[in-house]
Structures are given as structure tokens and as C-alpha cells.
Amino acid sequence: MTGTLNLKELLTSNIRQSGILLALVVIVGFFSVLQPNFLTPGNLTNIVLQYSYILILAIGMIIVIIGGHIDLSVGSLVALTGATAAVVSIRSGMPWWVGVLAALAVGVLAGCWQGFWVAYVGIPAFIVTLAGMLIFRGLTFQVLDNVSLSPFGGTYYQIANGFQNGILGGYGVDVFTLVIFAVAVLGYAVNAWRQRRAAVSYEQEVGALPLFVLKVVAVGAVVMWFGYQLAQSRGLPNVLILLAVLVLIYGLVTQKTVFGRNVYAIGGNLTAAKLSGVKVKKVNFLIFVNMGLLSGIAGVVFSSRMNGAQPGAGNMFELDAIAACFIGGAAVTGGVGRVSGAMIGGLIMAVMSNGMQLMGADQSTQQLVKGLVLLLAVAFDVYNKRRAGS
């Protein structure tokens, strides 16, 4: 018989997601009190533009971590793919889309290279990607001849700096942006209702109907408020559209496909996965190919945002992406994590960085706070596991 859960039971049944959502709300509230400009339309738009590439990397990194691996090379690969696009588009004068394809191709090739050593040779991903971090950084210096290349200009520049606005008109508030966000809220509500009905049909426990409605209304209100803020600024950022598409695709890939289930199986229990017939080597290879592809996308976005390529681009990006995943609920031992959690973890990192910058905090203070937050997030995960096991 289907049971219903009250608010306390819902929160404690999924304490990972509840904890990070609460943390995000508290952090946003903290900075909004200390900095009146924090929640202004212009600053919210800047957060989207400035940290989109970290969120893109976090999508790939969460899959790597669920599979029981780690990737330390993504920052260097962002630099290499961005440098490739710059050489093709700026130095060689090729069309912007050729530069994009070249960057993605380099990312996929790098992923194949690392996937081969991890999956088929059996070298731990930590060592392979540590070597990759050095190799890709060295290749970046060689590709750029140790100098920066700029500007891209034109359509390439618009990838990370352009906006969709004025399509449906509006006086001071872009109607197109509001319509897109309204469609997103409607899609979320329909999907949530379908998931609830499916759980009921399988006689699983679900939240009480009033709590379900309250949750959908609350999420919808927050999303529409955010959309309204963007609509008052410059409209819908192109990079937010790209990020939303990636989140939808990889949410389906991780939760609804055989590949996604196999990744969870490998990270959760490698021996059992092998005995169940999972092609472990192939899946591990594809995990790193996918990470290379997303690193290429992030490289395009970052170089577009900077309107050029620099030899030192992408420095420490891998640590921000890894931190986003662990703060977002990924387990250190693998087998646990969600794309949505990684996005929330990435938003926490973005909000903290932006808020501390507005407060005038120096770089050392920002790194100190980020490190403490990451440590506390992992400690929280360890504590929950011990409590569940006791």
C-alpha cells in the first residue's frame, strides 16, 4: 500500500539533497543581507556568465566521480581546447564554427587518450589525469607559442557573451526570457507529477499531496523570480541555454540509460558489476571520452568569455569542478551523485566566490573559505554514512 511522508520524513529521507539546498539558501541569504547589490539583475547575470564553464565541467566530473574515478586534467584541457580554437579561428582565419569543432575534436581525442590508459592499461585515473594535466598544459604553451591570442569577435564571442532578447518585445522586461522560464517551470511540474504517479503505481512512499504542491509552487516561484531578474537585465544568456540543454541531456543519460546505470554499478560495487556482465573497460573508456568532450565545450565557452586564449587559462578549474560535485552530494567512494546535485554544488561555489568578491575579500580568503566548505561537505557525507551504518 502506498504511504505518504510528512515534511520531516521527506527531509531526512534524502538528507544529502536537503542539506545542500538549505546551504545554498543560507549562503544566498547571507550575502544578500551584507551586499544589497548581490541579488540585482546585473549581478545575477554576471554569476551565470562567469561560472557557466565550471558548471559544464561539473556535469562531466560528476559522472567520473560516480564511476569511482577522478580527473585532474580538465583545467589544462580547457586551456588546450581554447588554444586550438584560437589558432584555427584567429591565426588561421577559419570560420568560427571550424574553431569550435576543432576544440571539441581535441577534447574527445584527449579523452580517448586518458580513457585508454585508465580502462585498458589499468593505470589509476589519478595518475593518468595528473600526467594529462602536465601534458595538456605543455601542449597549450606549444600551440600558442607562449603568447595569448585575441580577439575572437563575431559569432564566437557571442557564444558566452551574447543574449537572446527582444524576440517577443517587452518594455524594460524581456518577454521571451519570461516565456522560456515559464515553459521550464511547466516542464518541471509535469515531470514531477509523472514521477509521483509512477511511485504510487509501484506502491512506493511519496510525500503528502499538499507538500508536493508546495514544493512545485516554491520551485516555480524561485525559477520565475530568477528569470524575471534576467529579463530586467540583458535577457536570456546564450550560455544559460547551452547549460540547460546539457543538464537535461545528462540528467537523462545518468538516470534513464544503460550507460548511466552501468556507471553507478561500477562505482558502487566493481566486482558485482563485472559479475553482472557490465563491460567495465568500455564504460570507463566512455566516461573519460565524455569528460574530454565536455572539457572541450567548457574550453570554447571560457575562451569565448575571455575573447581570447591564454597559456595559463583554466588554472584550478579542476578543483572547482571536483568541489562542486562533492559539495553537491557525490560520495568519495563513488556510486553516489546526481547531475542536479553537482549543479547546486557549483552554484554554491559560484555564489560564495561572487559574494566574497563583492565584499572585497582577497584571493587568499576566498581559497580558505572554499577549502573549509569542501572539507565540511565531505565530513557531512562521512558522518551520514556512519550514522546509517550504526
Side-chain angles (χ1 to χ4, degrees):
M1 182 177 179
T2 302
T4 58
L5 303 174
N6 59 33
L7 180 60
K8 181 179 179 181
E9 291 171 333
L10 278 175
L11 291 176
T12 55
S13 66
N14 196 356
I15 195 167
R16 268 195 182 92
Q17 295 295 317
S18 302
I20 59 176
L21 279 173
L22 180 61
L24 178 59
V25 171
V26 170
I27 293 171
V28 170
F30 173 77
F31 284 119
S32 63
V33 170
L34 295 182
Q35 288 294 324
N37 295 329
F38 180 73
L39 292 180
T40 59
N43 190 58
L44 291 174
T45 300
N46 287 335
I47 291 176
V48 173
L49 297 179
Q50 291 173 1
Y51 300 99
S52 55
Y53 37 86
I54 298 298
L55 295 177
I56 292 171
L57 289 175
I59 294 173
M61 191 65 72
I62 191 67
I63 297 175
V64 172
I65 292 173
I66 291 171
H69 306 292
I70 205 74
D71 193 335
L72 301 177
S73 68
V74 295
S76 296
L77 190 51
V78 164
L80 178 58
T81 53
T84 301
V87 169
V88 171
S89 298
I90 299 175
R91 185 177 293 170
S92 300
M94 301 292 287
W96 68 271
W97 56 268
V98 178
V100 170
L101 291 178
L104 298 183
V106 168
V108 170
L109 287 174
C112 291
W113 166 263
Q114 297 195 128
F116 168 76
W117 291 104
V118 173
Y120 295 104
V121 179
I123 301 176
F126 179 87
I127 301 300
V128 172
T129 58
L130 179 61
M133 179 176 68
L134 301 174
I135 293 170
F136 301 149
R137 184 65 64 181
L139 287 174
T140 302
F141 279 96
Q142 290 187 357
V143 168
L144 292 176
D145 292 330
N146 294 336
V147 297
S148 299
L149 277 180
S150 64
F152 283 100
T155 304
Y156 193 100
Y157 176 79
Q158 295 299 318
I159 293 174
N161 296 283
F163 296 83
Q164 299 298 318
N165 53 36
I167 297 175
L168 299 179
Y171 297 95
V173 178
D174 183 57
V175 175
F176 177 75
T177 302
L178 294 179
V179 169
I180 294 299
F181 273 84
V183 171
V185 170
L186 179 61
Y188 167 76
V190 171
N191 184 62
W193 177 251
R194 291 179 62 184
Q195 289 182 345
R196 177 184 172 85
R197 291 188 60 184
V200 170
S201 66
Y202 286 108
E203 299 187 351
Q204 298 174 350
E205 288 186 326
V206 295
L209 184 59
L211 290 178
F212 170 80
V213 173
L214 179 63
K215 175 186 175 182
V216 171
V217 171
V219 170
V222 171
V223 171
M224 288 307 301
W225 172 84
F226 179 66
Y228 181 73
Q229 299 304 310
L230 295 183
Q232 289 185 90
S233 181
R234 286 171 281 179
L236 186 63
N238 291 337
V239 72
L240 184 59
I241 299 173
L242 172 63
L243 182 61
V245 171
L246 290 175
V247 170
L248 287 174
I249 291 174
Y250 281 94
L252 293 173
V253 167
T254 54
Q255 300 298 316
K256 302 294 184 180
T257 67
V258 174
F259 171 76
R261 290 192 291 271
N262 288 343
V263 172
Y264 279 99
I266 291 172
N269 191 322
L270 179 60
T271 302
K274 289 180 178 178
L275 294 175
S276 299
V278 175
K279 297 179 180 178
V280 174
K281 292 182 178 180
K282 180 181 178 180
V283 173
N284 281 333
F285 178 77
L286 291 176
I287 286 174
F288 284 93
V289 172
N290 178 70
M291 187 71 254
L293 173 63
L294 287 171
S295 297
I297 295 174
V300 170
V301 170
F302 182 71
S303 59
S304 171
R305 174 65 180 164
M306 297 294 104
N307 200 21
Q310 303 85 29
N315 186 36
M316 302 291 285
F317 281 12
E318 60 277 353
L319 299 186
D320 284 339
I322 292 169
C325 294
F326 286 131
I327 292 172
V332 178
T333 53
V336 175
R338 296 177 70 94
V339 171
S340 58
M343 294 300 97
I344 297 173
L347 287 175
I348 289 176
M349 297 289 289
V351 166
M352 287 194 306
S353 297
N354 180 266
M356 288 187 288
Q357 288 171 9
L358 291 178
M359 293 175 63
D362 55 30
Q363 194 65 27
S364 60
T365 302
Q366 294 183 39
Q367 296 298 328
L368 176 64
V369 172
K370 288 180 181 179
L372 288 174
V373 170
L374 174 60
L375 183 61
L376 290 174
V378 176
F380 181 69
D381 177 59
V382 172
Y383 168 76
N384 285 328
K385 283 185 177 179
R386 288 179 178 175
R387 192 177 67 171
S390 61

